[in-house]
Structures are given as structure tokens and as C-alpha cells.
Amino acid sequence: MTPTTSPQPTARRATGTRATRVLGIVTLVMLGWLLLFGLVLSPADIDQGDAVRIMYVHVPTVWLAYLAFIVTAVCSGLYLFGKRHSLGFDRVAGASAEIGVVFMALTLISGSLWGRITWGVYWQWDARLTTTALLFVTYIGYLAVRGLDGTRERRARRSAVIGLLAVVEIPLVHWSVRLWRSLHQEATILDTDLDVDIDGLMLFTLFSGVIAFTLLFVWLLLHRTRTIALDDLLASRGLDRAIAERRAEVSSSSPSGGGS
Amino acid sequence: MTTVIAMRDAGFILGAYAATVAVIGSFALWVLRAGRRSGRLVDDEEKYWT
């Protein structure tokens, strides 16, 4: 008896490559490093005590959310004003906005826990907190617009315009503590005097956090952009198939047996 | 570990770290799973990164 051999489906790659795997491992190591320094090795603050440890996740997440939204704006600009109107830029813009929203959500969560310790409340309608919440909601709106009906190009054009307009909120959020009277402290690192008023080990831990979250952002961006590219390809195939089926239906139902 | 738990306001501090790890971990898993699901339906030749 001869066994019937059916062709084995070849294993298809997902969104990972050797480079992303190495990047992923380095990112995990850096995040572990951040946990060690943030929770154990860095000293407590004279004024805030151990509550300052929240800074090592709060500040990097907000900086990376800003970076993600700036990447969205730059890619939106490149899509709108570039000669080729490449959908690749639109995909990076969308992926970056998704990651930015996740980081911004984490900023709000860690910030409210920090606020509970230092101010006694989780939330205040303070200038910095309110503008940050507004920025978060704006980018949720951006993502909602990306999901609206329409051709791929029309959706890309619509969201690119919003991506360019929304980024204007970032300086407003950053400078809100100076523009209005705010409960929130002023910037420790990026202040106007460029005077870094922070202990050496605390600064080291903070920058470790920034590096860890930056690597994480790049890793997530690569994977998410590739997934969106795959989904676009599958959607266009589905559309091609639907058009072909419709043409076949029309041609079979017409009396002459052929479509016009 | 006992030093960490003995911190003042440990619940809020560990809560902030736990939320960060949980949210990022869940998002990363979702991204990887979505990529794997879609990647299965597309030939490697059509993936610009392969």
C-alpha cells in the first residue's frame, strides 16, 4: 500500500527576524535592569521618600508617548507631502500612535498612583493632568478615524491630517506647568535652565528607563508595522477575490453569458 | 524582596510597576499573536522583511 503524500504546508514566518529577536532580548534585559535599579538599588528621595521610584516608569513612558506621537506626525507629513504618498509611512504612523496611546495610558496610571501618595488624591483637574488626558483622548480619536470606512488611501489621508494637527498638543502639555499654576512639579531634566537637579544614581536609573522604553518602542514599532502591512495585503486580496466573484456572478447571470 | 515590600507606600509603588509590566506585556503579546496569525496566511516572498 502506497501512502498518499499530501504537500506539507511550509512554516511561514511571522513578523520577527533575527534582528528583532536580538532587540527583544536586549529590551527584556534592560527592563529587568530597570526593575532592579528602580525598586532596589536607587536611593529614596529626601522629600518624597520611596514614592520617587514611580518616576522611573512614569517619566520614560511619557517621553516615549511624546516620541511615538512625533513619529506619527513626521510619517503623516511624509505620507501627505511625499511624492509617492507611500502607504508604508501611513502604517508606521498608525503603529506608532497605537504604541503612544499604550504608553500614555501607563503615564496616566502611574501618575495617578504617584499623585495619590504625594497629593492624597488619584486625580485633580490640574493643567498638566487635564492636557495629558486631552492628548490621550485625541490619539484615541486618531485611532478611531483610522478604523473608519473608505479606501486605504482615503483613510491614510484623513488620519495623516489629524496626526499632523494632534502633535501640536505636545508642547502645550509639556509647558502647561509653566503656563498655568499647577500641582504637578516642573520638569527635572528638560527645564529651561538645563540644570539637572537630581542625584547621580537616580539620574542613571531614569536614563536606564528611557533607554529600556526606547528599545521597547522600536521593537513594538517594527512588529506592529509589519502586522499592519500583512493585514493590508490580506484585505486587498479579499477585495480582489470579492471583485472576481462579483464579475463571475454578473457574467453567469447575463443572457449572453458574458459581461459587458 | 523584603526591602521592596517594606517600602513606605509599597502598594502604590509596586502597583505602578505591576500595571506597567502587565499593560506592556499584554500589548506585546497581542502584537506578536496578530503578526503570527496574519503571517501564516501570507507567503514569505511577499513579506518585505524576509
Side-chain angles (χ1 to χ4, degrees), chain A residues 180-199:
Chain A
W180 294 284
R181 288 178 65 184
S182 174
L183 268 176
H184 197 283
Q185 69 177 66
E186 289 192 14
T188 310
I189 309 292
L190 294 175
D191 64 350
T192 46
D193 315 323
L194 294 173
D195 178 24
V196 181
D197 190 17
I198 184 171
D199 170 77

Side-chain angles (χ1 to χ4, degrees), chain A residues 70-120:
Chain A
I70 289 167
V71 168
T72 296
V74 169
C75 289
S76 299
L78 287 170
Y79 173 76
L80 269 185
F81 305 116
K83 280 182 186 170
R84 289 174 51 220
H85 298 292
S86 168
L87 283 171
F89 289 125
D90 172 66
R91 290 182 196 118
V92 178
S96 192
E98 284 180 12
I99 301 164
V101 164
V102 171
F103 280 134
M104 191 50 87
L106 285 173
T107 303
L108 291 168
I109 293 168
S110 59
S112 66
L113 290 167
W114 199 359
R116 175 66 182 77
I117 300 172
T118 53
W119 305 329

Side-chain angles (χ1 to χ4, degrees), chain B:
Chain B
M1 193 63 197
T2 45
T3 326
V4 174
I5 295 165
M7 283 187 307
R8 206 172 156 207
D9 302 310
F12 294 107
I13 297 161
L14 293 176
Y17 277 78
T20 304
V21 170
V23 170
I24 285 173
S26 307
F27 183 68
L29 269 180
W30 175 75
V31 168
L32 285 179
R33 275 186 189 163
R36 204 167 294 162
R37 205 170 39 238
S38 302
R40 262 189 233 125
L41 305 170
V42 176
D43 288 330
D44 283 351
E45 295 78 48
E46 293 180 273
K47 297 167 188 163
Y48 64 83
W49 57 93
T50 56

